[in-house]
Structure formats: C-alpha cells, structure tokens
Amino acid sequence: MAETKDNFKNRVESVVSQIPLGKVMTYGQIAAICGSPRAARIVGGIAHWGDKSLPWQRVVKVDGALAEGFPGGVTGHRSVLEPENIHFIGDKVDMKRHRWSTKW
DNA sequence: AATTTGACAGCGA
DNA sequence: GTCGCTGCCAAAT
C-alpha cells in the first residue's frame, strides 16, 4: 500500500492518540513530529475534520491556552481536562508539568 | 485544478 | 509585558 500524503494526517491522529492521560501537547509540537513544524493549523483542522474520537482536549496551544473552537469553548475544554489531572494556571494549562513529547 | 479556510506560531511595535 | 499582523502547510469545498 502506497503511503499517500495522508501520512501527515495519519501521524497526527497517531500522535494525539498516544497522549497519556494527564498530559498535553501543543499543535506546533504535533505538527513538527508529523513532519511540518509550520503546519500547526493543519493539526487543528484535522482535529475538527479528521478523527474526532481522539483526545483532542489534550491538544492545546503553545502557551497552554485551550482551543477556542473546541465544542463548549475554553470553559468546556477546561472542565474536561481538570478531571484528567491537568493543572490549570488561570485560564491556561500548566505546560510546565504537562507538556509532553512522543520522543520521551 | 484552483481557491479559501483553518481548533496556530512566530515576530514586531 | 501586552496586543496585533503576517506567514506557513495541508485539507476541504
């Protein structure tokens, strides 16, 4: 089977599905792992159009801010992360403790 | 096949 | 330290 360009989206879904509970990743980080460090926006696009069965709630911005387009908004997004041991600083995730990487 | 959008990132003022 | 605009890559229409 020939690997099409779907590899990019396929990797994004793969990486996101590998995020352990209590951890979060940034769009840029995921995009970089997928092969395009500038495709952070595409990762978000896949989140909405791709496999929505993945823990996209653990995918946040580089600053720890939550996705503004997430169903329920940042408020709903935060409510989903709190029970997952995610620590919050104001309205953002504590990236100092939850920033995770697949290479770890 | 071409154009527009998209749940961001990085740099500048 | 804060706010805004531009740039980028890929997917969707």
Side-chain angles (χ1 to χ4, degrees):
Chain A
M1 35 178 276
E3 275 71 34
T4 57
K5 285 200 248 177
D6 291 270
N7 242 335
F8 183 81
K9 184 161 67 176
N10 193 309
R11 289 186 186 187
V12 174
E13 296 177 343
S14 185
V15 173
V16 175
S17 67
Q18 287 161 59
I19 301 175
L21 195 155
K23 295 288 179 178
V24 295
M25 287 185 76
T26 72
Y27 288 92
Q29 182 63 53
I30 296 169
I33 293 168
C34 288
S36 295
R38 268 45 190 196
R41 331 169 54 137
I42 298 71
V43 178
I46 296 166
H48 190 70
W49 292 322
D51 194 324
K52 62 183 186 300
S53 300
L54 296 171
W56 295 107
Q57 62 267 28
R58 294 178 191 151
V59 183
V60 298
K61 302 190 194 184
V62 71
D63 288 347
L66 304 177
E68 298 173 15
F70 196 85
V74 180
T75 307
H77 198 164
R78 183 167 71 186
S79 301
V80 177
L81 295 172
E82 288 184 303
E84 299 208 351
N85 295 290
I86 307 289
H87 294 213
F88 274 82
I89 300 176
D91 291 348
K92 299 185 180 180
V93 180
D94 188 347
M95 300 301 286
K96 306 174 191 56
R97 303 181 180 189
H98 303 299
R99 191 142 90 172
W100 180 74
S101 201
T102 52
K103 301 177 195 171
W104 280 49

